[in-house]
Amino acid sequence: MVSMRADGLLRLGTTARVSVAGAESTVAVGLSRLGHRVRWVGRVGRDEPGELVLRTLRAEEVDVSRVREDDDAPTGIVLFEQRLPDVTRVQYYRAGSAGSRLAPADVTTAIEAGTRLVHLSGITPALSPTAREAVTAACDHAAEHDVAVCLDVNFRSRLWSADEAADVLTPLARRARVVVGSPDELALVGGVEDLLRHGVAEVVTKHGAEGAAVTTENGTLDAPAHRVPVVDSVGAGDAFTAGYLSGWLDGVGLAERLDRGTACGAFAVATRGDWEGLPTRAELDLVGSAGTALR
């Protein structure tokens, strides 16, 4: 989507900063900055907002060759309003958008030989029946080609009810190798122990400012969050996911995966915007260097 971040109250009229937002695109940018080859799959309108989305992702070295430009539907928009210093009000305008028209054919051809991981968000199947079919098709195609799947539950109450989400996302979560979510989100798809019983290898719990944990058949490992001044909390969870999956792709241990995830989350909350402040691999160690001038 295109994002508009208001500088003041929308009801009074204000200026706004235009950029790009979206859970999956934030993960894609985060992984790309950490040195991984990434492809983002979706639909945008054949319009100027769509051009901004594609241009931004190309600039971040994310492959958009399989993105479909829709002639008949607009690119979605999201509005951010900083109502209080630590409270952001978000309004979505994507009903009938190009992204909501995602279909199975849009995603299956993007999973090629050599693909190691398919990252899915619980937001996508909430957008429309065809988007729901597309996510299921991606899982099917990944399974046929022995490609690992990561599902971030990412429950959005403005898109559907908890009961609807549970009915759709629980079967998807049980098919994933890695499932990510807050405690409430993981409970929505059966809980940590149930997911492990159904074959999920790693269940990652995001605790926000308190850090994160990963549970496998061997037990649970916890990691604290890095303490940094919070400028904007939007996108922190997706930044964490990007860092964690970067460690997964690199084959490092669980502790290092969590540490990389919390480092990315710290960079995200310390800067305004969903993805703009995400680190490169060379910058990961800067977390904890408060008050230092790099000369």
Side-chain angles (χ1 to χ4, degrees):
M1 298 171 291
V2 162
S3 70
M4 302 180 68
R5 292 180 177 271
D7 293 328
L9 294 181
L10 287 167
R11 70 180 68 167
L12 300 180
T14 183
T15 57
R17 176 176 172 272
V18 179
S19 184
V20 172
E24 301 86 357
S25 57
T26 296
V27 173
V29 170
L31 284 168
S32 179
R33 287 193 181 180
L34 292 171
H36 302 280
R37 293 178 58 195
V38 186
R39 172 176 291 153
W40 182 83
V41 182
R43 285 199 191 193
V44 297
R46 196 178 294 277
D47 49 27
E48 289 304 299
E51 285 300 317
L52 174 61
V53 172
L54 295 178
R55 183 178 184 275
T56 299
L57 292 175
R58 287 192 194 103
E60 293 295 330
E61 300 185 6
V62 174
D63 180 355
V64 292
S65 61
R66 303 303 173 87
V67 174
R68 179 171 174 180
E69 294 181 84
D70 197 317
D71 293 311
D72 302 316
T75 303
I77 294 175
V78 57
L79 300 180
F80 295 98
E81 182 184 36
Q82 201 77 33
R83 195 62 185 87
L84 292 170
D86 58 351
V87 177
T88 303
R89 189 153 54 191
V90 183
Q91 299 179 55
Y92 297 101
Y93 297 89
R94 53 186 172 192
S97 68
S100 72
R101 293 162 61 133
L102 189 73
D106 297 327
V107 299
T108 53
T109 57
I111 304 173
E112 298 177 333
T115 300
R116 297 176 57 199
L117 179 70
V118 173
H119 176 65
L120 302 171
S121 164
I123 297 170
T124 308
L127 299 179
S128 69
T130 60
R132 190 171 304 175
E133 292 168 4
V135 172
T136 300
C139 282
D140 292 341
H141 200 71
E144 290 170 8
H145 293 80
D146 196 28
V147 176
V149 170
C150 171
L151 175 71
D152 191 332
V153 179
N154 260 332
F155 172 63
R156 296 291 185 269
S157 60
R158 291 192 176 185
L159 293 176
W160 53 359
S161 70
D163 288 341
E164 290 175 302
D167 287 344
V168 173
L169 297 182
T170 300
L172 293 172
R174 289 173 176 176
R175 301 179 65 184
R177 192 169 303 177
V178 180
V179 176
V180 183
S182 67
D184 289 346
E185 289 173 335
L186 293 175
L188 196 70
V189 293
V192 175
E193 296 305 321
D194 181 77
L195 291 169
L196 292 174
R197 280 195 299 272
H198 281 88
V200 177
E202 301 169 32
V203 182
V204 183
T205 307
K206 296 184 286 190
H207 293 294
E210 301 306 314
V214 57
T215 305
T216 69
E217 61 181 8
N218 297 318
T220 298
L221 182 66
D222 294 282
H226 295 275
R227 299 299 176 185
V228 295
V230 176
V231 174
D232 182 0
S233 63
V234 176
D238 299 312
F240 167 84
T241 299
Y244 186 89
L245 292 179
S246 171
W248 187 93
L249 289 166
D250 284 347
V252 301
L254 296 176
E256 189 171 341
R257 295 181 202 181
L258 287 173
D259 187 61
R260 195 176 297 184
T262 55
C264 289
F267 273 96
V269 301
T271 51
R272 193 166 301 281
D274 285 33
W275 55 269
E276 285 85 341
L278 297 182
T280 64
R281 191 172 291 253
E283 293 172 326
L284 284 171
D285 291 338
L286 293 181
V287 174
S289 302
T292 301
L294 305 177
R295 303 175 188 271

